[in-house]
Amino acid sequence: MTDSGCIFCEILAGLSPGSFVLRDGSVSAFMDIQPINPGHLLVVPNAHAAHLADLPGPDGMAMFLAAQRRSGLRCEGVDLILADGAAAGQDVFHAHLHVIPRYAGDGFGFRFGPGYADLPERSELDVAGARILAALEAVD
Ligand SMILES: [Zn+2]
């Protein structure tokens, strides 16, 4: 399944260039064109799925199994980032897992919002947790 206008579907179909490192039955991986560090790649489902909620479970599992593999490139650690939704920074609406090699002093990092250092009250955590639990139980 492809989606017209989706750059990742075009790359997967060979209609746009991609530097592939993996192609298997359900997922592929290719180099990010704007790498944070050398070796930064994207693992994508072969079938178009815009968001995490659209992603079949086996494809999600295959994406993480692919992300476990390592190369000989410099890599002291790895960040796995799946931005789901524009507010989270998703810029291509074909689910993709960034695999970003990390090493000390590479300069990359997360920026925390104002108030991050303020620990919430336990009651706030419990209220949010109860809402999430209720939503999870509703889909089981
Ligand atoms: Zn797509």
Side-chain angles (χ1 to χ4, degrees):
M1 183 173 72
T2 62
D3 184 65
S4 63
C6 171
I7 184 61
F8 288 172
C9 284
E10 288 182 11
I11 291 170
L12 291 166
L15 301 173
S16 290
S19 297
F20 284 89
V21 300
L22 173 71
R23 298 204 75 159
D24 73 16
S26 60
V27 300
S28 296
F30 47 84
M31 305 309 294
D32 192 302
I33 61 168
Q34 192 170 21
I36 289 172
N37 283 323
H40 177 178
L41 56 86
L42 306 173
V43 181
V44 304
N46 292 336
H48 182 83
H51 296 282
L52 183 61
D54 305 323
L55 188 64
D59 286 359
M61 183 173 70
M63 289 169 68
F64 276 88
L65 288 171
Q68 288 180 319
R69 300 182 187 181
R70 293 294 173 262
S71 71
L73 295 178
R74 183 177 184 187
C75 181
E76 298 169 3
V78 177
D79 277 328
L80 302 178
I81 301 174
L82 194 155
D84 189 42
Q90 185 177 10
D91 52 0
V92 175
F93 291 89
H94 180 132
H96 55 285
L97 182 64
H98 290 262
V99 181
I100 305 168
R102 298 295 311 276
Y103 49 88
D106 65 14
F108 180 68
F110 293 103
R111 179 176 45 87
F112 297 101
Y116 170 73
D118 302 330
L119 297 179
E121 296 294 326
R122 174 61 56 193
S123 61
E124 294 177 60
L125 299 175
D126 289 343
V127 167
R131 290 184 66 182
I132 293 168
L133 180 60
L136 293 174
E137 289 176 341
V139 295
D140 284 341

